[in-house]
Amino acid sequence: MVEIELDGKKVEVTEGCMVMHAAEKVGTYIPHFCYHKKLSIAANCRMCLVEVEKAPKPLPACATPVTQGMIVRTKSDKAIKAQQSVMEFLLINHPLDCPICDQGGECQLQDLAVGYGGDSSRYGEEKRVVAHKDVGPLISMEEMTRCIHCTRCVRFGQEIAGVMELGMVNRGEHSEITTVIGDTVDSELSGNMIDLCPVGALTSKPFRYSARTWELSRRKSVSPHDSTGANLIVQVKNHKVMRVVPFENEDVNECWIADRDRFSYEALNSPDRLTRPMLKQGGEWKEVDWQTALEYVANGLRCVKTEHGAQSIGALVSPHSTVEELFLAGALMRGLGSDNIDHRLRHAEFGKAEGVRWLGTSIASLSTLQSVLVVGSNLRKDHPLFAQRIRQAARHGCAVSAINSVANDWAIPNVRTKLAPAAGWSTALAEVAAAIAAEKGVAAPVQGAATSEEARAIAAALLTGERKAILLGNGAAHHAQASSLLALAQWIGAQTGATVGYLTEAANTVGAQFVGAQPQEGGLNAAQMLDGRLKAALLLNVEPEHDSALGAAAAQALAQTDMVVTLSPFKTNLEFSDVLLPIAPFSETSGSFVNAEGRLQSFHAVVKPAGEARPAWKVLRVLGNLLGLEGMDYETSQDVLVRATGKPAGECTQLPAERLSNATSAEPKLGGECAEPVVAAIYQLDSLVRRAPSLQLTADARAAREGVAA
């Protein structure tokens, strides 16, 4: 440790830290633009100049290492004058368009200009003008004249997103930030550049000119998309979601969110929203009141149960639904006498539940791994924030290996990929296991497996270091030989000391397992329910054509069903549904999601439900009441959560460790024919992202529509 004096206070910091870090430790604010705690130090804005005793001139706090006994003054006349001089230079070419700038009200330059700027300029020359650039549907670079060349966006692309899509070209007054690779910014994390920009040079294209920041109410929420459980601030005006930005949580999403977390809010205001219950009568859809719709559903379910038995009724539920909704959907089905409920819509294998499948480690630990093997995942697109953490680990020496059908570009350096068709993934894992067995002198889990050079390299990486993980992706979870892959991964994990876990597909995949949103006592699984065995189907947040492994065949099967009830925020499933019940999306209901590490995060509604939409948990509760089912009298979603978790209100923030298990009794098997597992593209994952216009204009969305691998 090194002790310095900062503005008369003694501060102890680690050797190698900068003066800026010492200031942060004691809560002293030093004005800055280019410095960011998550990015490398550039020291090119010079706004953080401070006086260091015995130094001939002011020094940048962000790039000046501390030394024993150093005396720093951040508010002396010398420091203040230096900062004022820098501000004068920064404002020479900055346009006077604060009244129309989207950054107005949350602009660092605007804030610091009040404290360090002058009331007039000594420069009378013409201001420089930088041409605007069109870099895609998400980021606006229309006013690049505002740019102060802090290079935060450039460093973010290089260090966090892994792709340097922006860079600085030219010199002097001709310097400008522009695209370097191609003409657009296509990273799945690109929206974070908007947050990083300290001025109004990079702004949100969908949000552009739609509201002033001081008109917006800020409310916390949780992302309903992938299994990170990213914490959000949802910004609202006139009961309408206008913008979504990250809420910092170092253990979950740090200060970043993926673009689908940021821009999917457009779907919430979509003209496709379902705002009143609808019944299909004579082949035509008609709006009705809630009482009529719910009585129709209750009577229909009673009739089907009487004529065909309870086992002819089933529920297909989305793992993007909340814990409360999934719990009540299960209670409704089992109250009717049916165990036909499943959230595993894209799975090809449906083994008996042996535990709640989860990440096997904490999300934060991904940043410090020394070796990781990822099986069956396009990590960068399926789990952008997990990929970002593993990217940081790779920058510090983590050996990243993959087994997959295609060599996806993860924007991670030196990924060692063993390519194999889906039918060969278990063989590829068995080769790695055989290499480990040979190295350790133990029996391999599968006899006769060859060992290729790639397998030996992966095995060597897993046998070194202390912090290691084997992560099974969406492709491995949906695989026809999923249990065999898990058994092989567990053997490798036991021999190498690596944790074994699933990246898990959706916001509440772990929560869906926890509350039993899958057959428990021999009920039909999702594939069986979609092969024509049901007479009545309840679809919760599900669009079978997009959300199930069967695709269009699922819709055809449901068209043969006597009654299909769709609970959705959108007008969907019109071809085969008999009833549409409008339910509230995540922004209009309270509820909870459980992320990949088993962390339960609850949230409240941020706006009122659109039209006559109602929270799905309330719809399911009332439907249970109409059917005369026991134990369906809940006043709040919190009451449902208490029943689902068995813990008092507010006490369940992590699922019990004894319920989280990736152990398996399955035996490893090799060979056999199987199709490529069905995995949703990044902007086809759920009903919200599918209806967000800006996301559907991105390069990733176009590639998915054209069938091109990302």
Side-chain angles (χ1 to χ4, degrees):
M1 299 294 285
V2 174
E3 184 178 82
I4 71 168
E5 182 182 308
L6 192 141
D7 291 340
K9 299 176 185 174
K10 297 290 185 183
V11 190
E12 272 197 357
V13 291
T14 308
E15 188 174 359
C17 284
M18 303 298 161
V19 170
M20 184 72 81
H21 301 141
E24 286 178 340
K25 186 171 182 179
V26 294
T28 297
Y29 178 73
I30 299 176
H32 61 273
F33 294 112
C34 69
Y35 171 77
H36 190 276
K37 63 183 179 181
K38 292 290 184 181
L39 302 177
S40 62
I41 292 168
N44 53 9
C45 78
R46 318 308 282 184
M47 191 64 210
C48 64
L49 292 175
V50 294
E51 181 184 356
V52 178
E53 194 170 273
K54 297 182 182 178
K57 59 182 181 180
L59 300 176
C62 69
T64 302
V66 295
T67 58
Q68 183 64 38
M70 176 186 278
I71 298 175
V72 180
R73 299 182 183 92
T74 68
K75 296 176 175 60
S76 65
D77 287 344
K78 188 175 182 179
I80 296 296
K81 285 180 180 177
Q83 292 162 359
Q84 289 173 339
S85 297
V86 170
M87 178 58 70
E88 185 177 10
F89 276 109
L90 289 174
L91 294 177
I92 287 172
N93 285 304
H94 199 79
L96 298 174
D97 57 0
C98 295
I100 63 159
C101 178
D102 267 346
Q103 196 81 351
E106 52 189 13
C107 172
Q108 280 181 257
L109 184 66
Q110 194 177 56
D111 293 342
L112 293 178
V114 173
Y116 299 91
D119 56 4
S120 62
S121 175
R122 290 183 281 173
Y123 293 84
E125 293 80 7
E126 289 185 6
K127 293 180 182 286
R128 72 193 288 262
V129 175
V130 180
H132 73 270
K133 301 159 183 69
D134 185 358
V135 294
L138 305 180
I139 298 177
S140 172
M141 294 179 72
E142 291 290 318
E143 291 90 9
M144 288 306 292
T145 304
R146 298 171 182 162
C147 179
I148 60 171
H149 301 164
C150 70
T151 69
R152 280 185 178 184
C153 56
V154 178
R155 285 174 285 143
F156 173 83
Q158 286 178 290
E159 299 163 17
I160 307 299
V163 182
M164 185 179 171
E165 295 179 298
L166 294 177
M168 185 181 290
V169 299
N170 304 323
R171 300 190 69 181
E173 71 169 5
H174 302 293
S175 298
E176 60 177 295
I177 301 291
T178 185
T179 50
V180 174
I181 302 174
D183 298 319
T184 56
V185 174
D186 299 318
S187 166
E188 63 287 345
L189 298 172
S190 65
N192 293 292
M193 295 180 185
I194 298 167
D195 298 333
L196 286 172
C197 186
V199 293
L202 304 181
T203 54
S204 169
K205 191 171 279 190
F207 176 70
R208 187 173 165 81
Y209 295 149
S210 59
R212 306 300 295 183
T213 181
W214 52 83
E215 299 174 319
L216 302 173
S217 300
R218 290 159 175 78
R219 295 155 191 181
K220 291 169 61 176
S221 191
V222 178
S223 168
H225 306 302
D226 65 37
S227 59
T228 307
N231 290 200
L232 312 176
I233 294 289
V234 181
Q235 300 185 345
V236 175
K237 177 184 177 184
N238 296 334
H239 303 293
K240 182 179 177 182
V241 176
M242 304 298 291
R243 185 167 63 166
V244 174
V245 296
F247 179 80
E248 186 170 350
N249 185 332
E250 199 63 28
D251 292 332
V252 180
N253 56 297
E254 299 177 89
C255 55
W256 317 119
I257 54 174
D259 286 351
R260 64 181 166 201
D261 302 327
R262 185 183 300 271
F263 296 108
S264 64
Y265 74 86
E266 288 185 292
L268 302 172
N269 308 315
S270 163
D272 203 21
R273 282 296 302 271
L274 178 65
T275 56
R276 292 198 67 194
M278 299 180 75
L279 291 180
K280 187 186 284 183
Q281 297 177 334
E284 293 186 6
W285 285 102
K286 295 183 180 178
E287 293 185 344
V288 297
D289 59 63
W290 270 105
Q291 187 71 23
T292 301
L294 290 172
E295 287 180 353
Y296 180 91
V297 173
N299 290 333
L301 292 175
R302 285 195 200 97
C303 290
V304 170
K305 181 178 178 181
T306 301
E307 293 180 21
H308 304 285
Q311 285 304 308
S312 63
I313 303 172
L316 294 162
V317 295
S318 169
H320 299 277
S321 302
T322 66
V323 168
E324 295 81 356
E325 292 163 0
L326 294 171
F327 175 79
L328 286 178
L332 180 68
M333 284 297 107
R334 292 177 180 112
L336 287 168
S338 171
D339 192 36
N340 304 334
I341 179 172
D342 209 345
H343 72 278
R344 301 167 296 176
L345 304 173
R346 295 189 178 99
H347 285 226
E349 183 188 82
F350 301 90
K352 180 175 174 56
E354 296 183 61
V356 174
R357 304 310 193 199
W358 68 300
L359 188 62
T361 185
S362 68
I363 290 174
S365 70
L366 298 179
S367 302
T368 61
L369 290 175
Q370 294 172 316
S371 181
V372 60
L373 170 61
V374 181
V375 182
S377 174
N378 184 357
L379 183 67
R380 178 180 167 191
K381 303 301 180 182
D382 294 346
H383 300 91
L385 294 175
F386 290 170
Q388 182 276 131
R389 284 191 180 269
I390 292 175
R391 189 172 298 124
Q392 302 317 308
R395 292 180 68 226
H396 292 94
C398 175
V400 183
S401 308
I403 294 175
N404 210 350
S405 303
V406 293
N408 302 118
D409 178 13
W410 291 353
I412 297 175
N414 304 319
V415 176
R416 184 183 293 105
T417 303
K418 181 169 177 56
L419 294 177
W425 289 358
S426 55
T427 301
L429 263 181
E431 289 183 22
V432 175
I436 291 170
E439 184 69 27
K440 297 191 69 176
V442 297
V446 179
Q447 298 303 311
T451 56
S452 63
E453 184 178 339
E454 295 164 318
R456 287 191 291 272
I458 294 173
L462 288 172
L463 285 166
T464 57
E466 296 178 357
R467 299 182 299 278
K468 298 168 279 192
I470 300 170
L471 302 175
L472 302 173
N474 296 348
H478 302 168
H479 201 280
Q481 300 166 357
S483 58
S484 181
L485 292 174
L486 177 58
L488 285 163
Q490 286 288 12
W491 188 92
I492 295 170
Q495 294 297 321
T496 61
T499 62
V500 177
Y502 283 95
L503 292 167
T504 72
E505 179 185 39
N508 207 23
T509 300
V510 176
Q513 299 172 74
F514 178 71
V515 298
Q518 59 195 53
Q520 303 294 304
E521 302 295 336
L524 300 179
N525 60 48
Q528 292 169 331
M529 282 189 266
L530 289 171
D531 68 2
R533 304 188 196 189
L534 294 183
K535 295 298 181 183
L538 196 73
L539 307 181
L540 175 60
N541 268 323
V542 170
E543 297 174 296
E545 188 169 347
H546 302 290
D547 293 328
S548 77
L550 295 176
Q556 294 169 7
L558 287 168
Q560 309 305 314
T561 305
D562 290 353
M563 185 173 78
V564 177
V565 182
T566 292
L567 289 79
S568 174
F570 304 103
K571 296 174 183 175
T572 186
N573 302 340
L574 299 176
E575 300 80 7
F576 52 80
S577 293
D578 298 289
V579 189
L580 297 182
L581 300 178
I583 60 171
F586 82 105
S587 58
E588 299 168 13
T589 183
S590 56
S592 308
F593 292 133
V594 183
N595 70 3
E597 65 179 351
R599 182 188 298 259
L600 187 145
Q601 300 180 107
S602 296
F603 54 91
H604 297 288
V606 299
V607 292
K608 295 187 295 187
E612 294 183 21
R614 295 292 180 267
W617 72 267
K618 287 188 176 181
V619 176
L620 293 165
R621 180 202 65 190
V622 174
L623 194 53
N625 292 338
L626 289 174
L627 289 165
L629 305 183
E630 295 289 331
M632 297 289 276
D633 297 318
Y634 299 101
E635 293 297 322
T636 66
S637 63
Q638 193 68 43
D639 294 340
V640 183
L641 184 63
V642 169
R643 180 68 180 274
T645 62
K647 289 195 173 184
E651 285 192 17
C652 186
T653 56
Q654 180 74 29
L655 296 193
E658 61 271 15
R659 291 290 305 277
L660 298 172
S661 172
N662 295 314
T664 179
S665 59
E667 292 293 327
K669 296 178 183 177
L670 303 185
E673 294 294 322
C674 72
E676 287 288 327
V678 176
V679 177
I682 183 171
Y683 298 133
Q684 291 295 319
L685 181 63
D686 57 67
S687 59
L688 284 177
V689 294
R690 287 194 287 265
R691 288 174 173 81
S694 296
L695 292 178
Q696 294 307 316
L697 292 173
T698 60
D700 280 321
R702 291 197 306 271
R705 287 194 294 271
E706 295 164 7
V708 179

